[in-house]
Amino acid sequence: MKRAKVTVVGAGFVGATTAQRIVEQQLADVVLVDVVDGLPQGKALDMAESASLEGFDTRIVGTNDYRETQESDLILVTAGLARKPGMSRDDLLYKNAEIVSEIIKQASLYSPNSHIIMVTNPLDVMTHLAWKKSGFDSYRVFGMAGVLDSARYSYFLAKELDISPKDVRAMVLGGHGDSMVPLPNHSTVNGIPITQLIKPERIEAINQRTRDGGAEIVNLLKTGSAFYAPSSAVCAMAEAVLLDTGRILPCCAYLSGQYGMKDVYCGVPVKLGRTGVQQILELKLSPAELASLKKSAEGVRENIAKLSTKSFL
Ligand code: TXD
């Protein structure tokens, strides 16, 4: 059987760590792409040289040339800028929209049958843009945010209860940012609702720490953002697609009427497999949870409108 091929665009912290996880777990051969000459080549060679020690025979190469990415099964886009002093969120939106548009044009040209997982921020908007620029069906283009936010939520809940994070199943929906929606009513410890185990005020504090999870790491690192947990989250989604597992994961997916919303990307629970988003699960949400989900989708719409006025869409 032919081994799967994954292209990781962006050889920065998230991209390189994701590539490392994929080859070490023998999920696929990896092509690591970046605009900076030598960076993907150097990191890929360094990883390849660990093969005999780590015990993997998946291959990894680095390149600045999209021709080497051809016929990839999966494209993971982690390339982009982080906000710098003096840059507004809008500046970042337009700059990353420029970067993502070019990447998707190239990557989808060489791998017309692939699936795309977006990671670049602002995540929900970049996923919508990637869908438009690729011309792919929406079930083939989705984004990573909810898996990371849910993993953070699981960790904080496990810490609160002083138990193994392995037994926590937590769910966070909505956009990736301040408007994300942690769902205590759909989070359990091996089936036991967390609402039976933790007091409401502590749950609210943990929900807020989850919403601030990205910022907490940025404040500690000072010069960058999180990448260990983000790369684990991307890898979990990649595995579901490559191994056709049918896992239920919260992903940024295209809504066509689910949760009362249409023509917008939003974080919702989906069934992921070889054909991408195979199903969107509609949970019974409380009116407050549904309102938060809709508010978060409205924020995405506003940014899409900004991109439209600048002719990105
Ligand atoms: O939950 C999530 N979705 C996220 C998203 C979690 C963590 C990080 N999140 C976002 O991912 C973050 O806000 C950024 O937008 C991306 C990448 O984060 P990372 O920490 O990996 O950033 P780096 O280390 O700066 O790496 C970015 C790389 C760097 O090597 C650049 O040279 C490269 O992107 N880059 C490009 N590669 C290819 N093509 C183009 N045009 C390009 N432009 C920059």
Side-chain angles (χ1 to χ4, degrees):
M1 202 170 73
K2 195 170 150 262
R3 199 180 264 155
K5 178 172 175 179
V6 172
T7 287
V8 180
V9 188
F13 284 102
V14 177
T17 317
T18 301
Q20 180 187 1
R21 294 191 192 282
I22 291 174
V23 285
E24 286 187 359
Q25 291 176 31
Q26 308 221 89
L27 285 175
D29 291 336
V30 172
V31 180
L32 187 59
V33 185
D34 203 286
V35 272
V36 179
D37 182 35
L39 181 73
Q41 292 88 343
K43 289 194 180 181
L45 180 60
D46 193 10
M47 278 183 233
E49 288 169 357
S50 73
S52 68
L53 300 168
E54 293 297 331
F56 62 84
D57 48 22
T58 29
R59 286 177 281 266
I60 177 159
V61 292
T63 183
N64 310 109
D65 185 343
Y66 281 87
R67 279 176 296 189
E68 290 191 53
T69 70
Q70 69 183 345
E71 286 176 40
S72 290
D73 299 286
L74 196 54
I75 313 281
L76 312 177
V77 181
T78 75
L81 297 186
R83 200 141 63 109
K84 300 211 174 69
M87 240 176 133
S88 71
R89 276 184 202 278
D90 279 357
D91 293 338
L92 184 69
L93 173 72
Y94 301 135
K95 190 66 212 157
N96 280 352
E98 228 175 271
I99 292 174
V100 164
S101 300
E102 183 55 28
I103 288 170
I104 296 297
K105 202 173 96 192
Q106 297 278 349
S108 57
L109 178 71
Y110 286 103
S111 301
N113 301 314
S114 60
H115 288 74
I116 299 174
I117 302 180
M118 291 303 299
V119 183
T120 308
N121 272 326
L123 189 269
D124 309 80
V125 188
M126 292 302 135
T127 308
H128 186 107
L129 181 65
W131 165 56
K132 284 287 184 191
K133 294 288 171 191
S134 64
F136 290 1
D137 287 322
S138 58
Y139 58 82
R140 289 170 56 198
V141 184
F142 35 97
M144 185 290 286
V147 178
L148 168 63
D149 298 329
S150 303
R152 286 182 172 146
Y153 197 32
S154 299
Y155 173 69
F156 298 145
L157 291 167
K159 249 188 111 199
E160 177 76 10
L161 293 165
D162 193 23
I163 58 167
S164 165
K166 287 202 273 189
D167 287 335
V168 183
R169 290 275 168 275
M171 185 75 87
V172 179
L173 303 185
H176 187 48
D178 305 338
S179 62
M180 73 179 74
V181 190
L183 294 182
N185 293 324
H186 292 85
S187 300
T188 74
V189 174
N190 274 350
I192 310 161
I194 60 156
T195 47
Q196 289 180 19
L197 303 170
I198 307 175
K199 290 196 173 70
E201 59 275 17
R202 283 302 304 152
I203 292 183
E204 193 34 55
I206 294 166
N207 289 353
Q208 194 51 44
R209 188 173 179 194
T210 304
R211 286 187 204 102
D212 297 336
E216 185 176 358
I217 305 271
V218 169
N219 289 337
L220 289 165
L221 296 180
K222 294 178 188 74
T223 53
S225 54
F227 57 99
Y228 289 115
S231 57
S232 291
V234 186
C235 200
M237 289 173 66
E239 184 192 65
V241 175
L242 295 167
L243 304 186
D244 196 24
T245 60
R247 282 197 72 186
I248 306 295
L249 297 170
C251 301
C252 173
Y254 182 78
L255 299 183
S256 54
Q258 298 89 347
Y259 294 94
M261 291 182 276
K262 254 193 178 144
D263 195 29
V264 68
Y265 270 88
C266 188
V268 289
V270 309
K271 180 181 169 194
L272 266 194
R274 182 157 298 141
T275 53
V277 173
Q278 298 178 330
Q279 193 189 340
I280 293 180
L281 284 82
E282 287 198 72
L283 306 178
K284 280 201 182 73
L285 299 181
S286 71
E289 287 167 343
L290 189 60
S292 305
L293 195 65
K294 289 193 167 165
K295 196 172 150 227
S296 133
E298 275 323 303
V300 180
R301 275 193 212 283
E302 279 166 26
N303 278 330
I304 297 289
K306 283 183 194 164
L307 288 187
S308 298
T309 57
K310 296 267 177 181
S311 311
F312 279 104
L313 288 164

